[in-house]
Amino acid sequence: MTDDEDLILTEALGAVGAAGGGSGGRFGAKFAARRLKKNVHEVELTVGGVSPAEAAGRTADLLLRMGTPVRTAGAQPPDGVRVVRALVGGGFGNMNPVLVTVTLTGTGQEATEVRVRGAAKEGLIKQGAGEKTARQVATLLTQHLPTPRG
């Protein structure tokens, strides 16, 4: 797998196209997906009382319930940083694949900075799937991870 958001989303849309139209559907969906703009949104929050590793584990559990984990090849994140990715359904009928990338960075013993990024391809009808999914995941994470004390 790759780290390239566009390629991951193009392949995911190709799989959706294949489900509806066989190999021609896959090709057509991938062809169109390469030309679509992305809807991208990031949400930042801070959680407390958990290390980035523990927060990453809880985040991975949450994203696994929502969709399919995405393994990427390429440069490893720096020490103290964890990255969790998954493809989840978004938009109308959850048919639009959204790539959710959660980056967790330790900022001390009692806090972890979390950045939730949602990216989805947008067609003629703007659904804001990347933005809506990023906000949804951020809300769910605040319910599953403790907030910092202070």
Side-chain angles (χ1 to χ4, degrees):
M1 184 58 58
T2 179
D3 285 331
D4 183 2
E5 272 183 347
D6 287 312
L7 185 57
I8 292 169
L9 290 169
T10 297
E11 291 296 325
L13 283 167
V16 171
S23 63
R26 177 183 304 276
F27 176 77
K30 287 172 69 172
F31 180 82
R34 285 187 210 98
R35 287 146 184 82
L36 296 175
K37 292 182 181 181
K38 281 191 298 189
N39 172 254
V40 177
H41 187 74
E42 292 186 1
V43 178
E44 294 184 7
L45 52 120
T46 302
V47 296
V50 292
S51 68
E54 184 180 348
R58 292 183 187 185
T59 300
D61 289 343
L62 173 69
L63 291 180
L64 184 60
R65 287 194 302 268
M66 295 178 72
T68 305
V70 173
R71 296 192 191 278
T72 56
Q76 293 292 84
D79 287 340
V81 176
R82 305 288 179 148
V83 178
V84 181
R85 289 180 126 180
L87 278 168
V88 302
F92 179 75
N94 288 331
M95 292 292 294
N96 191 6
V98 180
L99 180 61
V100 177
T101 304
V102 181
T103 305
L104 304 111
T105 306
T107 58
Q109 284 184 320
E110 294 297 316
T112 300
E113 293 292 324
V114 180
R115 187 177 78 223
V116 180
R117 178 182 172 94
K121 294 287 189 166
E122 288 280 316
L124 291 174
I125 300 171
K126 306 299 181 214
Q127 298 180 37
E131 179 176 355
K132 289 176 185 173
T133 305
R135 291 182 190 277
Q136 176 189 18
V137 169
T139 299
L140 290 170
L141 284 174
T142 58
Q143 295 169 0
H144 288 85
L145 294 171
T147 55
R149 292 178 222 155

